[in-house]
């Protein structure tokens, strides 16, 4: 650090490089944490989708078969149909599959940030452009939770 006569503190080139490497290291650590979190969330939403969708399908089939089998089992068939509708409504309300896809997109985006940061830190001299690139990728990773699935043919 160098203090000038006007009271403004200026960093030496070595100090700037050190702070740049520190910031890239912090971004790498954040990306690692966020990638792992997005992976766990994607797994959770996949399991929630199965936990709600499978019983809904099973109960719907059972209710249909029971309702057609005999007049005596109409009430149990109606209860099974109501339970099936409840599971299906829960799955629709939670949008488990959409959330799973969003977290998978986020996982890939955070992995990209993590990989770029690791590449930048592996270099002896880190250009300042690397930080700009990492910040853009970080913003893209944050936006990937809300983004739509990429359309075929788009990058």
């Amino acid at each position: 650090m160098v203090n000038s006569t006007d009271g403004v503190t200026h960093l030496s080139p070595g100090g700037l490089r050190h702070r740049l490497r520190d910031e890239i290291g912090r971004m790498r650590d954040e990306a690692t944490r966020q990638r792992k979190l997005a992976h766990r969330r994607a797994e959770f939403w996949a399991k929630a989708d199965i936990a709600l969708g499978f019983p809904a399908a099973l109960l719907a089939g059972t209710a249909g078969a029971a309702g057609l089998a005999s007049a005596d089992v109409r009430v149990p068939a109606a209860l099974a149909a109501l339970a099936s509708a409840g599971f299906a409504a829960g799955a629709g309300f939670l949008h488990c599959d959409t959330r799973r896809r969003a977290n998978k997109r986020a996982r890939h985006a955070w992995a990209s940030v993590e990989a770029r940061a690791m590449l930048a830190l592996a270099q002896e001299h880190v250009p300042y452009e690397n930080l700009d690139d990492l910040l853009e990728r970080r913003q893209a990773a944050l936006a990937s939770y809300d983004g739509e699935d990429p359309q075929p043919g788009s990058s």
Side-chain angles (χ1 to χ4, degrees):
M1 240 188 237
V2 177
N3 288 326
S4 65
T5 57
D6 60 0
V8 177
T9 302
H10 300 282
L11 290 175
S12 65
L16 284 172
R17 282 194 295 274
H18 182 69
R19 289 185 66 187
L20 178 62
R21 292 184 79 76
D22 286 349
E23 184 60 29
I24 291 174
R26 280 192 291 276
M27 289 183 73
R28 180 203 54 208
D29 295 343
E30 176 192 18
T32 301
R33 281 191 312 276
Q34 292 294 336
R35 176 185 52 81
K36 290 177 180 178
L37 181 61
H39 179 73
R40 285 194 306 269
R41 286 178 177 165
E43 285 181 338
F44 170 80
W45 287 114
K47 291 173 184 172
D49 194 27
I50 292 168
L52 292 171
F54 183 73
L58 186 63
L59 287 170
T62 303
L68 294 174
S70 167
D72 296 337
V73 292
R74 285 190 185 150
V75 172
L79 292 175
L82 284 172
S84 173
F87 279 112
F93 175 76
L94 291 175
H95 301 288
C96 297
D97 193 47
T98 302
R99 291 174 190 237
R100 179 188 56 82
R101 284 193 311 265
N103 278 285
K104 283 181 122 179
R105 277 193 309 274
R107 180 182 65 202
H108 291 292
W110 284 114
S112 173
V113 174
E114 181 184 23
R116 289 293 176 127
M118 287 176 17
L119 284 173
L121 291 173
Q123 298 175 7
E124 185 175 330
H125 174 71
V126 180
Y128 297 106
E129 294 81 25
N130 283 10
L131 185 58
D132 292 338
D133 178 52
L134 284 171
L135 289 171
E136 287 177 18
R137 288 177 183 274
R138 182 180 181 274
Q139 284 304 111
L142 290 169
S144 67
Y145 291 102
D146 298 325
E148 295 292 323
D149 284 332
Q151 299 300 317
S154 67
S155 57

